[in-house]
Coordinates of all heavy atoms in Angstrom, one line a residue:
D1 N 11.3 -8.5 -0.1 CA 10.2 -8.8 -1.0 C 9.4 -7.5 -1.3 O 9.5 -6.5 -0.7 CB 9.4 -10.0 -0.6 CG 8.6 -9.7 0.7 OD1 8.2 -8.5 1.0 OD2 8.3 -10.6 1.5
E2 N 8.5 -7.7 -2.3 CA 7.7 -6.5 -2.8 C 6.9 -5.9 -1.6 O 6.8 -4.7 -1.5 CB 6.7 -7.0 -3.8 CG 6.0 -5.8 -4.5 CD 5.2 -6.3 -5.7 OE1 5.5 -7.3 -6.3 OE2 4.2 -5.6 -6.1
D3 N 6.3 -6.7 -0.7 CA 5.5 -6.1 0.4 C 6.4 -5.4 1.4 O 6.0 -4.3 1.8 CB 4.7 -7.3 1.1 CG 3.6 -7.9 0.3 OD1 3.2 -7.2 -0.7 OD2 3.2 -9.0 0.6
E4 N 7.5 -5.9 1.7 CA 8.5 -5.3 2.6 C 8.9 -3.9 2.0 O 9.0 -2.9 2.7 CB 9.6 -6.1 2.9 CG 10.5 -5.6 4.1 CD 9.8 -6.1 5.5 OE1 8.7 -6.6 5.4 OE2 10.5 -5.9 6.5
E5 N 9.3 -4.0 0.7 CA 9.8 -2.7 0.1 C 8.6 -1.6 0.1 O 8.8 -0.5 0.3 CB 10.2 -3.0 -1.4 CG 10.7 -1.8 -2.0 CD 11.4 -2.1 -3.4 OE1 11.4 -3.4 -3.8 OE2 11.8 -1.2 -4.1
R6 N 7.4 -2.1 -0.2 CA 6.3 -1.1 -0.2 C 6.0 -0.6 1.2 O 5.7 0.6 1.4 CB 5.0 -1.8 -0.7 CG 3.8 -1.0 -0.9 CD 2.8 -1.6 -1.7 NE 3.3 -1.7 -3.2 CZ 3.2 -0.7 -4.0 NH1 2.5 0.4 -3.7 NH2 3.7 -0.9 -5.2
R7 N 6.2 -1.4 2.2 CA 6.1 -0.9 3.6 C 7.1 0.2 3.9 O 6.8 1.2 4.5 CB 6.3 -2.1 4.6 CG 6.1 -1.7 6.1 CD 4.7 -1.4 6.4 NE 4.4 0.1 6.4 CZ 3.3 0.6 6.4 NH1 2.1 -0.1 6.2 NH2 3.1 2.0 6.3
M8 N 8.3 0.0 3.4 CA 9.4 1.0 3.6 C 9.0 2.3 2.9 O 9.2 3.4 3.4 CB 10.7 0.5 3.0 CG 11.3 -0.7 3.7 SD 12.9 -1.2 3.0 CE 13.0 -2.9 3.5
Y9 N 8.4 2.2 1.7 CA 8.0 3.3 0.9 C 7.0 4.1 1.6 O 7.1 5.4 1.7 CB 7.5 2.8 -0.4 CG 6.8 3.8 -1.3 CD1 7.6 4.7 -2.1 CD2 5.4 3.9 -1.4 CE1 7.0 5.6 -2.9 CE2 4.8 4.8 -2.2 CZ 5.6 5.7 -2.9 OH 5.0 6.6 -3.7
Y10 N 6.0 3.5 2.1 CA 4.9 4.2 2.9 C 5.4 4.7 4.2 O 5.0 5.8 4.6 CB 3.7 3.3 3.1 CG 2.9 3.2 1.7 CD1 2.8 1.9 1.2 CD2 2.3 4.2 1.1 CE1 2.1 1.7 0.0 CE2 1.6 4.1 0.0 CZ 1.5 2.9 -0.7 OH 0.8 2.7 -1.8
D11 N 6.3 4.0 4.8 CA 6.8 4.5 6.1 C 7.7 5.8 5.9 O 7.6 6.7 6.7 CB 7.8 3.5 6.7 CG 7.0 2.3 7.4 OD1 5.7 2.5 7.6 OD2 7.6 1.3 7.7
T12 N 8.3 5.9 4.8 CA 9.2 7.1 4.4 C 8.2 8.3 4.4 O 8.5 9.3 5.0 CB 9.9 6.9 3.1 OG1 10.7 5.7 3.2 CG2 10.7 8.1 2.8
K13 N 7.1 8.2 3.6 CA 6.2 9.3 3.5 C 5.6 9.7 4.9 O 5.6 10.9 5.3 CB 5.1 8.9 2.6 CG 5.5 8.7 1.1 CD 4.2 8.8 0.3 CE 3.2 7.7 0.6 NZ 2.0 7.6 -0.2
E14 N 5.2 8.7 5.6 CA 4.5 9.0 6.8 C 5.4 9.6 8.0 O 5.0 10.5 8.6 CB 3.8 7.7 7.3 CG 2.7 7.2 6.4 CD 2.2 5.8 6.8 OE1 2.7 5.3 7.9 OE2 1.4 5.3 6.0
I15 N 6.6 9.0 8.1 CA 7.5 9.4 9.1 C 8.1 10.8 8.9 O 8.0 11.6 9.8 CB 8.6 8.4 9.4 CG1 8.0 7.1 9.9 CG2 9.6 8.9 10.3 CD1 9.0 5.8 9.9
L16 N 8.5 11.0 7.6 CA 9.1 12.3 7.2 C 8.0 13.4 7.4 O 8.3 14.6 7.8 CB 9.7 12.3 5.8 CG 10.9 11.4 5.8 CD1 11.6 11.5 4.3 CD2 12.0 11.8 6.7
A17 N 6.7 13.1 6.9 CA 5.7 14.1 7.1 C 5.5 14.4 8.5 O 5.3 15.6 8.9 CB 4.4 13.6 6.5
A18 N 5.5 13.4 9.4 CA 5.3 13.6 10.8 C 6.4 14.5 11.4 O 6.1 15.3 12.4 CB 5.2 12.3 11.6
Y19 N 7.5 14.5 10.9 CA 8.6 15.3 11.4 C 8.7 16.8 10.7 O 9.7 17.4 10.8 CB 10.0 14.6 11.2 CG 10.3 13.6 12.3 CD1 9.8 12.4 12.3 CD2 11.2 13.9 13.3 CE1 10.0 11.4 13.3 CE2 11.5 13.1 14.4 CZ 10.9 11.8 14.4 OH 11.2 10.9 15.4
G20 N 7.8 17.0 9.8 CA 7.6 18.3 9.2 C 8.4 18.5 7.9 O 8.7 19.6 7.5
Y21 N 8.7 17.3 7.2 CA 9.4 17.4 5.9 C 8.3 17.3 4.8 O 7.5 16.4 4.8 CB 10.4 16.3 5.7 CG 11.6 16.4 6.6 CD1 11.6 16.1 8.0 CD2 12.8 17.0 6.1 CE1 12.7 16.3 8.8 CE2 13.9 17.1 6.9 CZ 13.8 16.8 8.3 OH 15.0 16.9 9.1
E22 N 8.4 18.3 3.9 CA 7.4 18.3 2.7 C 8.0 17.5 1.6 O 9.2 17.7 1.2 CB 7.2 19.7 2.3 CG 6.3 19.8 1.1 CD 6.2 21.2 0.5 OE1 6.9 22.0 0.9 OE2 5.5 21.3 -0.6
R23 N 7.2 16.6 1.1 CA 7.6 15.9 -0.1 C 7.3 16.7 -1.3 O 6.2 16.9 -1.7 CB 6.9 14.6 -0.2 CG 7.3 13.6 -1.3 CD 6.4 12.4 -1.5 NE 7.1 11.3 -2.2 CZ 6.5 10.2 -2.5 NH1 5.2 10.0 -2.1 NH2 7.1 9.2 -3.2
Y24 N 8.4 17.2 -1.9 CA 8.2 18.1 -3.0 C 8.5 17.5 -4.4 O 8.2 18.0 -5.4 CB 9.1 19.4 -2.9 CG 10.5 19.3 -3.0 CD1 11.2 19.5 -4.1 CD2 11.2 18.8 -1.9 CE1 12.5 19.4 -4.3 CE2 12.7 18.8 -2.0 CZ 13.3 19.0 -3.2 OH 14.6 18.9 -3.2
E25 N 9.1 16.3 -4.3 CA 9.4 15.5 -5.6 C 9.4 14.0 -5.2 O 9.5 13.7 -3.9 CB 10.8 15.9 -6.0 CG 11.2 15.3 -7.4 CD 12.0 14.0 -7.3 OE1 12.4 13.6 -6.1 OE2 12.1 13.4 -8.3
I26 N 9.3 13.1 -6.1 CA 9.1 11.7 -5.8 C 10.0 11.2 -4.7 O 9.6 10.5 -3.8 CB 9.1 10.9 -7.1 CG1 7.9 11.1 -7.9 CG2 9.2 9.4 -6.8 CD1 8.0 10.4 -9.3
S27 N 11.3 11.5 -4.7 CA 12.2 10.9 -3.8 C 12.9 12.0 -2.9 O 13.8 11.6 -2.1 CB 13.3 10.2 -4.5 OG 12.8 9.2 -5.4
N28 N 12.3 13.2 -2.9 CA 13.0 14.3 -2.1 C 12.0 15.0 -1.1 O 10.9 15.3 -1.4 CB 13.6 15.3 -3.0 CG 14.8 14.8 -3.7 OD1 16.0 14.8 -3.2 ND2 14.7 14.2 -4.9
Y29 N 12.5 15.2 0.1 CA 11.8 15.8 1.2 C 12.6 17.0 1.8 O 13.8 16.8 2.0 CB 11.5 14.7 2.2 CG 10.8 13.5 1.8 CD1 11.4 12.6 1.0 CD2 9.4 13.3 2.0 CE1 10.7 11.4 0.6 CE2 8.7 12.1 1.6 CZ 9.4 11.2 0.9 OH 8.8 10.1 0.4

């Protein structure tokens, strides 16, 4: 559902940033 999908979206940003990946484009790190 929409809430679960949004949680995945925010988890992607937070987890990848914590591992040192820069988000340089909407879907690319």
Side-chain angles (χ1 to χ4, degrees):
D1 63 28
E2 188 174 336
D3 290 341
E4 194 80 353
E5 184 173 355
R6 186 162 292 274
R7 181 68 264 163
M8 296 180 200
Y9 170 79
Y10 286 115
D11 283 347
T12 305
K13 291 195 302 180
E14 293 168 8
I15 293 171
L16 292 184
Y19 277 80
Y21 289 80
E22 178 190 1
R23 186 187 197 185
Y24 68 96
E25 188 270 345
I26 288 177
S27 301
N28 285 276
Y29 303 76

